[in-house]
Amino acid sequence: MTQTDPRMAELREIVAEVLELEPEEITETGDFAEDYEADSLRAIEILARIDKKFKIEIPQSELPMLNNLKAVYDAVVRHSAGQA
């Protein structure tokens, strides 16, 4: 993962907006539930916004693994593979 990938900044913005935090408060490895007090409804909201923004579909079955920004970024990269 590179810091120059614009998707990381976009993901940070989405997560921060849903969690009602400033983007700079979100670290790549900060646990959404433990560090930012996110609940399952917020997790679903983050997933829905990512799917819409990046025009991909991340299955809800992956939700338990999407516990920090790096995991979300990796999922976006994985599900974006092969798409223009």
Side-chain angles (χ1 to χ4, degrees):
M1 170 178 41
T2 65
Q3 285 295 79
T4 57
D5 189 331
R7 292 179 292 190
M8 178 57 85
E10 291 174 276
L11 289 169
R12 189 182 307 268
E13 289 284 336
I14 290 169
V15 170
E17 190 173 308
V18 172
L19 299 183
E20 299 175 4
L21 297 168
E22 293 300 318
E24 51 274 7
E25 292 180 72
I26 309 289
T27 65
E28 289 183 19
T29 57
D31 187 276
F32 293 156
E34 289 183 21
D35 298 328
Y36 309 120
E37 299 177 7
D39 59 19
S40 59
L41 290 176
R42 289 191 182 208
I44 291 168
E45 174 70 15
I46 290 168
L47 190 63
R49 289 185 186 206
I50 290 168
D51 286 356
K52 185 175 182 182
K53 171 78 178 175
F54 296 98
K55 297 177 175 52
I56 59 175
E57 190 169 329
I58 299 172
Q60 281 202 4
S61 61
E62 289 190 28
L63 210 50
M65 296 169 282
L66 305 179
N67 59 347
N68 62 41
L69 194 60
K70 181 174 180 348
V72 170
Y73 173 87
D74 292 344
V76 168
V77 169
R78 193 170 57 250
H79 289 280
S80 297
Q83 294 185 7

